[in-house]
Amino acid sequence: CLVSNIDYDQFKGKMGIARITNGSVKANQPVALARPGKDKKTGRLTSLFVFDNLGKKEVEMASAGEIIQFSGLDNVEIGDTLVTNEGGVEPAEPLPPIAVEQPTVRMTLGVNKSPLAGREGKFLTSRMIRDRLFKELDRNVALRVEETDSADKYAVSGRGQLHLTVLIETMRREGFELEVGPPVVIYRTNEETGKVEEPFEMVEVRVPEEYSGSVIDLFNTRNGELQDMGLDDGGESMSVIKYLIPTRGMLGLRSSLLTATRGTAIIDAVFDSYREKIPGDIQSRDKGSLLAFEDGTITSFGLENAQDRGKLFVKAGDETYKNMIVGIHQRPGDLAVNVCKTKQLTNMRSATKGITVGITAPIEMSLDACVEYIATDEILEVTPTKFRMAKNPDMLGKKGKK
């Protein structure tokens, strides 16, 4: 049987999942893991499970056609073939292995160093974050975790932005506080041509016909290449648009598509291949950010003045700190606004006392929306209950020196 997935149990260790194609296997039976062109790894099955409805049950023997989960072989990998007649006259040949897709996007995860750090999370130190990330490698086979120059940050690579945001969301719910950097595409050099290549994705968008023009404009501004366009066979007036686009162009594109189509777009994206890198930068965001002018508590009076400058992410009563992103500027470039400003209390009647200004409801940003929004000089602060975006202090220090 060919091992197609990996799981991990804190008592039994690393476990392989496979479907038996021929023969049978028993618990406590000597077995071997074979792969074409590599040495065989021998061992003994300590436990054997089969899947039963939504759960699994331990059995003594399983035969062809059943999906099994086994333990006892700590060095099992996806693509290995489990062979039971290793000592027989005619040992079985290994099956053609399946390959695990290589990572295409990298993000940095580290210790939360913001002025509001440590107020909510249970796991805050770099040692706790490191142990959790390397523990994830036991079952998340497509993930890569690497040490960086800083002892407080780790480079985490995965198959796309969604793969990494699922991990961040899981850690957030477990009680971790993290500082997350923007997603970056992983380049590679072609050994034959010597040219730098970048990952491309095949994207299929289903959208009502009246919004198809807006979708095409968004893809064209991000160096997308139209592959196919037509009407859906389902009978509804839906257009099906297929594009080949670099992964760099997909970063931050989903929220723009949903905004342009009023939430009606259905987006499917899959990795296509590595191709020669497109020269130049791809436009990701055309507007700047509104930054908090100082530390403090946000007031309604401060929001009244700030909401004329753009759309806000915060509400009155929230805590903020200097250079924290509180909204989207209506023009390119960043702007510092004083959202903590309080009204001067005097015994003189104000000329504008009778004029009341309503405060617009803030935009509620999810984890995916925050990761798509942050630029190269910005970071995301993730806590069990809140997401806060801010300018990267390290990048601000470099600009000040220049």
Side-chain angles (χ1 to χ4, degrees):
C1 54
L2 183 67
V3 178
S4 58
N5 205 351
I6 298 293
D7 199 2
Y8 186 83
D9 186 271
Q10 58 180 342
F11 300 108
K12 299 183 181 296
K14 204 171 184 180
M15 306 181 73
I17 301 175
R19 181 173 183 175
I20 303 176
T21 56
N22 189 18
S24 61
V25 62
K26 299 179 181 179
N28 298 317
Q29 180 179 4
V31 294
L33 294 174
R35 185 185 285 257
K38 293 187 178 181
D39 296 334
K40 294 180 179 179
K41 299 171 284 188
T42 59
R44 184 181 295 270
L45 298 185
T46 57
S47 60
L48 181 65
F49 298 87
V50 297
F51 289 87
D52 182 25
N53 294 328
L54 297 178
K56 57 186 178 182
K57 61 180 180 181
E58 190 168 2
V59 295
E60 293 297 325
M61 186 181 75
S63 54
E66 292 184 294
I67 300 176
I68 62 171
Q69 184 174 7
F70 58 89
S71 64
L73 302 169
D74 293 335
N75 50 2
V76 60
E77 298 176 359
I78 289 181
D80 290 342
T81 301
L82 184 68
V83 181
T84 58
N85 62 342
E86 177 59 23
V89 179
E90 296 180 357
E93 293 295 326
L95 298 172
I98 57 176
V100 180
E101 290 185 11
Q102 295 301 311
T104 58
V105 176
R106 179 186 295 114
M107 297 174 67
T108 58
L109 274 63
V111 177
N112 185 13
K113 299 178 183 177
S114 81
L116 302 179
R119 299 190 178 187
E120 303 171 16
K122 296 184 295 183
F123 308 109
L124 310 173
T125 64
S126 61
R127 180 185 60 81
M128 293 177 177
I129 295 174
R130 183 185 186 280
D131 292 345
R132 177 62 179 85
L133 290 176
F134 280 94
K135 182 180 178 183
E136 184 71 17
L137 298 178
D138 292 331
R139 64 179 67 197
N140 202 336
V141 294
L143 199 70
R144 301 287 185 273
V145 179
E146 301 172 4
E147 305 274 356
T148 63
D149 297 336
S150 173
D152 298 333
K153 294 181 181 179
Y154 302 93
V156 183
S157 307
R159 295 178 299 177
Q161 179 181 309
L162 179 62
H163 185 200
L164 298 178
T165 52
V166 169
L167 171 63
I168 297 171
E169 177 67 19
T170 303
M171 295 178 65
R172 181 185 75 86
R173 296 186 181 186
E174 292 174 359
F176 283 86
E177 281 196 18
L178 301 169
E179 182 183 282
V180 180
V184 179
V185 170
I186 299 175
Y187 301 103
R188 75 176 189 186
T189 303
N190 191 318
E191 297 180 356
E192 297 180 357
T193 62
K195 296 182 179 180
V196 178
E197 297 181 338
E198 65 176 330
F200 278 71
E201 297 184 15
M202 184 64 70
V203 185
E204 179 180 291
V205 181
R206 296 176 182 270
V207 67
E209 286 188 56
E210 58 265 28
Y211 300 124
S212 59
S214 301
V215 172
I216 292 174
D217 289 341
L218 282 173
F219 276 103
N220 288 340
T221 57
R222 292 170 177 259
N223 293 344
E225 182 180 332
L226 182 63
Q227 302 294 307
D228 189 18
M229 181 177 177
L231 294 177
D232 192 2
D233 298 333
E236 301 179 2
S237 58
M238 297 284 286
S239 297
V240 181
I241 305 170
K242 294 183 180 180
Y243 262 89
L244 183 67
I245 183 172
T247 303
R248 280 189 299 160
M250 280 298 295
L251 300 177
L253 181 61
R254 292 179 182 271
S255 58
S256 300
L257 282 174
L258 293 176
T259 302
T261 61
R262 297 188 179 182
T264 58
I266 302 174
I267 310 164
D268 293 316
V270 64
F271 172 75
D272 182 75
S273 61
Y274 267 88
R275 303 188 179 211
E276 186 177 346
K277 180 186 175 184
I278 298 177
D281 296 330
I282 296 178
Q283 178 184 356
S284 59
R285 202 174 77 194
D286 56 352
K287 295 181 180 179
S289 300
L290 295 177
L291 307 179
F293 179 73
E294 60 182 357
D295 301 357
T297 303
I298 298 173
T299 63
S300 300
F301 185 70
L303 293 179
E304 287 182 11
N305 299 323
Q307 67 184 2
D308 296 334
R309 303 293 185 177
K311 300 177 182 178
L312 300 176
F313 300 146
V314 294
K315 62 182 184 296
D318 290 348
E319 296 288 329
T320 187
Y321 52 89
K322 188 176 182 180
N323 290 324
M324 173 178 155
I325 298 175
V326 296
I328 306 174
H329 192 200
Q330 58 190 2
R331 295 185 178 90
D334 299 331
L335 178 67
V337 292
N338 191 356
V339 291
C340 302
K341 186 178 182 181
T342 57
K343 194 171 184 179
Q344 297 295 328
L345 301 178
T346 66
N347 58 357
M348 301 295 292
R349 179 180 175 88
S350 172
T352 59
K353 180 176 176 57
I355 302 175
T356 57
V357 179
I359 299 176
T360 307
I363 302 174
E364 294 188 5
M365 298 287 283
S366 63
L367 176 61
D368 287 329
C370 290
V371 171
E372 289 187 352
Y373 179 83
I374 55 178
T376 54
D377 62 339
E378 297 167 350
I379 56 174
L380 170 63
E381 176 190 353
V382 179
T383 71
T385 60
K386 292 182 176 63
F387 303 114
R388 303 186 188 97
M389 295 175 287
K391 287 293 177 180
N392 191 337
D394 299 334
M395 303 286 284
L396 289 174
K398 293 178 182 179
K399 289 182 179 178
K401 292 177 183 177
K402 291 180 181 179

